[in-house]
Amino acid sequence: MIQKFLAFVFVYFLVTFTNAQDCTLTFQGKITDFHDNTSISDATIHAINLNKFTTSNSDGFFEIKNLCVQKLVLKIQHVGCDSKTITINLDRNLFKEVFLEHHLNELNEIVLKTSSKLEKTSIEQNIKKEVIDNFSDKSLGNALNTLSGVSSLNTGNSIVKPMIHGLHSSRLLIINNNVRQFDQDWGAEHAPNIDINASNNIHVIKGANTLMYGSDAIGGLILIKPKKYVVKDSLFGSALQTFNSNGLGGTINADIVKTYKSGYYSKIQTSYKQFGDFNTADYNLSNSGIKNVNASFRFGYNSFEKGFDAYYSFVSNNIGIIRAAHVGNVNDLVRAINSKEPSFIDDFSYAIDNPKQNVIHHLAKIEAYKRFKGLGKLTLQYDFQLNRRKEFDRRRSSFVDDPAADFRLFTTSFQPNLKIDAVDNLEVNTGFLIRYQQNSNPTDPEVTGVRIPLIPDYDKYESGFYAIANYHLNTTTEISGGIRYDFSRIEAEKEYKVFDWEENNYDKLFPEFTSGVINNFQIETNPKFNFHNISASLGLTKSLDNDLHLIFNYGLASRMPNASELFSNGLHHSAARIETGSLTLQKEVANKFIASLERSNENFGFSMSAYYNYMNDFIQLKPAGEALTTIRGAFIEWQYHQVNAQIFGLDLDINKKLSKLFNYKGNISLLQGDNLTENRPLILMPSTNFSNTLAYKNQSLNQLSISFTQNTVLRQNRFPDDNFFTFNPISQEDVYVDISSPTRTFTLFNFNSAANFKLSKKTNLNIAFNIENVFNVSYRNYLNRLRYFADELGRNFNLKFKINY
């Protein structure tokens, strides 16, 4: 009886208290576009804890009446916007403005691929993650070789430098995780120190409209992008292992990613690659093994209004150069050219002996962004890189463990960028760059045995400013334009032989560079140069119908001479030649025009791109036509000099769906490079090449895919004749040195197959089996600088296992 009475009293006071509350409060709000402060109408406002709904009017306003003092939880939604949930402690009448992002969701990985308007008026090709996985045990250059208009300059099979429309090295910008890669790319045998397993997408932009990244993209841009992670609680990763018959080695790669619905994420990735001696169709390539250790780490916060990304990568490459490529003099080279087999063939081994390269590359960056209402997005980035490169030559025993060349390159930069997108149909990117770079030769000359290093110690200072605008004229037409200014200053410390200094007339041209100190016929100098570069771009995209687009792009690009072109003056050991730079070199200026007609259709699509690149003061390295004698023997001298040049060509890609299960893809690249000053072809230009692929894919049969690919590279019939005669002291006669004649046409066939197997709800296994050079063709490639000494690789069986979890 007492319990019933107490319950009655409790209910009575509860009802009385509730009726006494002030439930006459009103919450008012306005829904506004974050970008341009315009009102958003017809947004749905759901008071979750009250189960009440309302919508915003044409001015973006809404209100909810008859509310009590309480915690109010509102979920605001609108078509094309991210939904937003807010919590309000309501104790009085209140008004609040709520901002929604009324543009495409930039946190979505799929949208990211087309969200950069900078690239829409460019001629662009992409390599997706599944293709990158196919090249997990190879290099960036090998993966890019699958694209039309992209080739490579090789030193053997492991050192691969990408080429876009016949240009490479300093004329290409490689952007790795939004950081411009600096790893002494001036050398023909210096490949990018990048682990492609750490990337998610690779973009190749063939135009020169890459002003956000630099002014010197005369050839184009390679943009390596990381993955954008969805904002949710998740843990996933992958493990990949490959096995190869040629080289008896492979790759192990693993990564794990943790994401949080709060927006934080982290990723750890590591890979290990090792191969022994590779084989041609007929013999072993002694000392051609490689050993790579790579790791990367990412940590960041990802939300629409603000965020940051911290990234660090470590790459260690130990690369053997075939023993037969080591020549002591020109006579060794003549014997190698005239021989069908290498001068040195040994049994298979995993050992990497001299000659070899040992390169370690560190890259780190911190990037942060903040969005401002009614304006846009401000991004600040700081990064640094440290590249240590050692080149080991075959020398007498006292120097066998010491590098013949030792370079340490340190680079650091700061780059703010402001993207203004508050105005409909218009996006403006503007920013500036400050960069410092230092090259040093840390190993004492007494240790290296090299009195004057090929590349001297130097300090380089850079600053730049750019502004780029993209505007949608209407639903079918977009235009872009931009301009960039860069200032560069380089200060070097270098010794010259007095005879060379005076013979080149430097004593009269640059008297201010000398200190007047002469030691053992060497004069100490301090060359200092300032360069001012202006670059610009203009682009147009016109949609002719739903899937047909016309793209036009013009780019003005300027490039200052690099340190190798200016200061080289000695024996380049890993290249087995004497290289001579010039202090009188001027900056290169290129005008590139490119037009493309593209049809994006899975039943029948194509891309046809024509381009013309005219270059004033084009810097090229070519044989001087004689051999110079050193204490090591006689070596060919190569000199840097400038000419006016042009490169033009055509890239054609076709895809055709033959049936529900069969597809065809084909491409062809045609290119011609001319030295206009001397009326002769440019040296080392890619020849016409084409490929055809027939593919079968059955989604219902474990996503089984089978494909056959044919690649043909025609003989390069346009080449400069730089052959010469030299005296052979052994035979006491002049011998003919044929260093220019190109290799013959070759055709290769490759087989690829893969299937996916579901292991559990969240785990699947991908198994791939591939055969490269199916018919074990014996051939040599004109763009391989070791073509004088050995054939290219023979047949290779490749097996891959990848688990995604």
Side-chain angles (χ1 to χ4, degrees), residues 366-557:
I366 179 70
E367 176 185 358
Y369 66 88
K370 169 68 176 165
R371 297 183 189 271
F372 297 93
K373 293 185 285 289
L375 180 63
K377 176 182 176 182
L378 175 64
T379 303
L380 303 177
Q381 178 177 302
Y382 169 76
D383 57 73
F384 77 86
Q385 298 172 72
L386 181 62
N387 184 276
R388 183 74 180 269
R389 178 183 184 82
K390 297 180 180 180
E391 298 179 358
F392 295 84
D393 202 1
R394 291 191 64 85
R395 302 189 291 171
R396 60 183 185 268
S397 59
S398 58
F399 291 107
V400 67
D401 295 323
D402 300 317
D406 186 0
F407 309 108
R408 183 176 61 192
L409 185 69
F410 171 78
T411 308
T412 183
S413 61
F414 175 66
Q415 304 174 75
N417 177 77
L418 176 62
K419 180 173 75 173
I420 304 171
D421 55 5
V423 180
D424 284 344
N425 301 321
L426 176 67
E427 179 181 293
V428 176
N429 275 279
T430 183
F432 65 89
L433 161 74
I434 299 174
R435 178 178 291 133
Y436 169 71
Q437 188 174 85
Q438 181 189 68
N439 181 73
S440 61
N441 296 270
T443 304
D444 190 276
E446 297 296 329
V447 176
T448 64
V450 179
R451 179 70 181 84
I452 301 177
L454 180 68
I455 304 297
D457 294 354
Y458 69 81
D459 295 283
K460 186 178 180 182
Y461 308 88
E462 293 182 283
S463 61
F465 171 81
Y466 63 88
I468 308 163
N470 300 270
Y471 181 65
H472 288 268
L473 290 174
N474 48 51
T475 57
T476 63
T477 308
E478 179 183 357
I479 60 173
S480 69
I483 190 167
R484 180 176 179 124
Y485 165 78
D486 284 276
F487 169 78
S488 300
R489 178 176 176 82
I490 187 168
E491 301 177 357
E493 298 178 3
K494 182 171 176 60
E495 291 186 352
Y496 284 87
K497 296 178 181 178
V498 174
F499 174 79
D500 292 336
W501 184 260
E502 294 177 350
E503 184 181 44
N504 288 294
N505 209 28
Y506 292 159
D507 56 331
K508 296 182 177 60
L509 294 173
F510 308 109
E512 69 276 15
F513 292 167
T514 62
S515 64
V517 178
I518 299 177
N519 294 317
N520 297 323
F521 304 104
Q522 311 286 344
I523 184 170
E524 295 181 2
T525 69
N526 298 104
K528 298 177 182 179
F529 294 100
N530 295 329
F531 292 92
H532 303 270
N533 291 340
I534 298 290
S535 301
S537 68
L538 180 66
L540 169 70
T541 298
K542 178 70 176 178
S543 298
L544 304 180
D545 59 30
N546 290 334
D547 55 12
L548 191 63
H549 307 280
L550 178 64
I551 303 174
F552 171 79
N553 174 254
Y554 162 72
L556 168 67

Side-chain angles (χ1 to χ4, degrees), residues 258-274:
K258 174 62 178 173
T259 64
Y260 301 86
K261 64 180 180 181
S262 61
Y264 287 97
Y265 61 86
S266 61
K267 176 185 177 182
I268 297 177
Q269 177 267 337
T270 184
S271 68
Y272 176 80
K273 175 167 64 176
Q274 183 170 9

Side-chain angles (χ1 to χ4, degrees), residues 227-293:
K227 187 173 183 177
K228 276 281 188 178
Y229 301 118
V230 178
V231 179
K232 65 177 184 180
D233 287 329
S234 180
L235 177 66
F236 59 93
S238 66
L240 182 147
Q241 188 164 6
T242 70
F243 302 93
N244 290 264
S245 63
N246 198 333
L248 296 181
T251 299
I252 299 174
N253 180 77
D255 60 68
I256 186 168
V257 179
K258 174 62 178 173
T259 64
Y260 301 86
K261 64 180 180 181
S262 61
Y264 287 97
Y265 61 86
S266 61
K267 176 185 177 182
I268 297 177
Q269 177 267 337
T270 184
S271 68
Y272 176 80
K273 175 167 64 176
Q274 183 170 9
F275 286 89
D277 293 338
F278 292 91
N279 293 300
T280 70
D282 302 308
Y283 47 80
N284 185 54
L285 294 171
S286 301
N287 199 55
S288 60
I290 57 176
K291 184 177 180 180
N292 299 344
V293 179

Side-chain angles (χ1 to χ4, degrees), residues 145 148-153 161-172 206 218-220 588 592 611 613 615 618-620 645-651 669-674 682-687 689 716 782-783:
N145 258 333
S148 63
V150 182
S151 49
S152 62
L153 182 65
K161 292 182 71 71
M163 300 178 73
I164 300 177
H165 291 164
L167 300 175
H168 59 87
S169 300
S170 299
R171 298 181 180 94
L172 298 186
K206 297 178 180 178
I218 290 177
E588 290 180 345
K592 186 171 186 178
Y611 59 91
N613 195 355
M615 294 162 287
F618 179 76
I619 302 172
Q620 65 172 359
Q646 66 179 10
I647 297 177
F648 57 93
L650 177 71
D651 299 332
S669 297
L670 305 108
L671 178 148
Q672 178 172 317
D674 297 311
L682 283 176
I683 193 171
L684 290 177
M685 288 289 105
S687 60
N689 58 88
Q716 176 59 276
Y782 174 63
L783 294 180

Side-chain angles (χ1 to χ4, degrees), residues 697-710:
K697 188 162 187 178
N698 192 330
Q699 292 286 351
S700 61
L701 190 60
N702 295 105
Q703 300 179 34
L704 175 66
S705 63
I706 301 173
S707 66
F708 292 90
T709 300
Q710 161 264 320

